[in-house]
Every structure is written in C-alpha cells, then in structure tokens.
Amino acid sequence: MALTWVGDGSTKTAAAHEGTNFAAVQRVPAIFIIENNQVALGTRLEQHHLPADFKDWPASYGVWGATFDGNNVLDAFAATRIAAERCRSGNGPALLIAETFRMGGHATHDEREARETFPAELFKSWGKRDPIGLYEEYLKEEGVTPKTLGELELEITEHVERAAAEALASREKMPKGESALDGVYAK
Ligand SMILES: Cc1ncc(C[n+]2csc(CCOP(=O)(O)OP(=O)(O)O)c2C)c(N)n1
Ligand SMILES: [Mg+2]
C-alpha cells in the first residue's frame, strides 16, 4: 500500500488528475491525502477552486473518501486507518481530505507575502489550533505527566532526526538509470 500527500494547489495539475484517475481505474491500494490548507503558494482557495471544499472529489473519481480535521492528530489517524483497511481489503484507492490552514509561507522565501494573503485574525484563530499543542493538551487531560511528555518529545525528536539523516544518506544510494522503467504500467 502507498500513501501520498497532495496540496490543494497541486490538485489543479494535469498530473494529479491523471494519477488519481489511473489509480482509481486500476483499483490500486493507494491513499491520496489532499492537504487543503486554503492556499496555493500565494493564491487563496476561492481563487483556484470553485466548490467551497473537496468533499465531492472522491465521488468524482469513483473512490471512497472522507474529510478529517487536519489539525487533530487522532482524527487524522482514525481516517487514515480506515482508508488503509479499505485499501488492504482490495477496495482500490482512498482519497482523504485534511482541512487545515497554512500558518507559514509555501516556503521560507514567501513568509511575508503569505501573511498578507489572509487577514491577521485567521492566523490568530488557527494559531490556537496548532496540532502538536492540541494533542499535548489532550494527553495532559488523559493524565500524561509533563515529565512523560518531555521524554516523549526527546524520543520523537531523535526519531525525526534519524529519519532526516537516513533521507540524506539515501542520496548516495540512487537507483541505476536502467531501472527507471521497472515496475511501471507502460513501457
Ligand atoms: C507543475 C507545476 N506548476 C506550477 C508550479 C509552481 N508552484 C509551486 S508551488 C505552487 C502552488 C502549490 O500549492 P499547494 O499544493 O496548495 O501547496 P502550498 O502552497 O499549500 O504549500 C505552484 C503553482 C510547480 N512547482 N509545478
Ligand atoms: Mg495549499
């Protein structure tokens, strides 16, 4: 099974449409998560997307889908788990929609423009819904102590750093050019 993320703006490319459609008709076990953070580089959602949201998109490709709160770790986990079970049972791809907001720029070069794209109040309200902060508060309510939270943070930071180092090291193990056509549908 494969899982990938597509931005709200990136869904507008021909490649995204062709890929999603072909995955659907081939019934491949893939999960596509549309990260609807309301903005594509500096273009607001309503400037590039006519419906108010993406809820009709899964049906338009003939696949199962669901929308989840992109700032809620448990909601994201639950939706992805259901999608994974469906994929593993041979139901073809699933298309999930994460409703969220981009607090920063598309990258570091457009942080200032990104702030000017939306009213300041939006950053204030979404800022209170930081996914890590929200999950931390939930864990505290569940009785997880600050000491355990601190230990968890160290453990997770180490995990992320290890993954980053592995990703960088993988540049030394690039596949051979001759293998580019292995495992593709058409040659
Ligand atoms: C095929 C292609 N067309 C245009 C661009 C230029 N471009 C870079 S980012 C971007 C918008 C992406 O929007 P989204 O997927 O919502 O990402 P976000 O801005 O939320 O990070 C565009 C149009 C590109 N990189 N590739
Ligand atoms: Mg976006």
Side-chain angles (χ1 to χ4, degrees), residues 124-153:
K124 245 187 177 166
S125 56
W126 280 97
K128 290 184 185 146
R129 300 185 54 212
D130 170 65
I132 297 173
L134 278 181
Y135 190 50
E136 237 175 56
E137 289 308 307
Y138 164 80
L139 290 176
K140 280 186 206 158
E141 275 175 24
E142 289 292 298
V144 177
T145 63
K147 181 173 172 286
T148 310
L149 274 182
E151 285 163 6
L152 278 175
E153 191 167 350

Side-chain angles (χ1 to χ4, degrees), residues 20-53:
T20 312
N21 184 64
F22 197 52
V25 295
Q26 290 291 316
R27 313 304 288 157
V28 301
I31 301 176
F32 299 101
I33 303 185
I34 298 178
E35 180 190 0
N36 180 19
N37 62 13
Q38 322 293 330
V39 59
L41 200 53
T43 306
R44 295 189 309 278
L45 186 70
E46 82 266 15
Q47 296 174 299
H48 74 77
H49 188 88
L50 210 45
D53 52 41

Side-chain angles (χ1 to χ4, degrees), residues 62-179:
V63 302
W64 179 84
T67 298
F68 65 87
D69 177 349
N71 286 39
N72 184 319
V73 172
L74 294 176
D75 206 26
F77 181 65
T80 312
R81 197 168 167 166
I82 295 168
E85 276 163 16
R86 292 185 58 92
C87 281
R88 290 197 176 105
S89 323
N91 290 300
L95 207 165
L96 299 176
I97 299 119
E99 287 295 344
T100 185
F101 183 71
R102 201 185 71 196
M103 290 295 288
H106 170 76
T108 47
H109 67 276
D110 66 335
E111 290 284 338
R112 192 179 53 79
E113 293 96 312
R115 282 278 159 174
E116 288 162 5
T117 306
F118 293 107
E121 298 84 67
L122 259 184
F123 288 92
K124 245 187 177 166
S125 56
W126 280 97
K128 290 184 185 146
R129 300 185 54 212
D130 170 65
I132 297 173
L134 278 181
Y135 190 50
E136 237 175 56
E137 289 308 307
Y138 164 80
L139 290 176
K140 280 186 206 158
E141 275 175 24
E142 289 292 298
V144 177
T145 63
K147 181 173 172 286
T148 310
L149 274 182
E151 285 163 6
L152 278 175
E153 191 167 350
L154 278 179
E155 204 180 296
I156 293 162
T157 306
E158 212 176 273
H159 189 82
V160 171
E161 279 168 1
R162 217 171 30 242
E166 267 172 37
L168 287 175
S170 73
R171 291 190 299 195
E172 307 305 322
K173 296 182 275 182
M174 289 300 279
K176 293 213 161 43
E178 306 88 85
S179 68

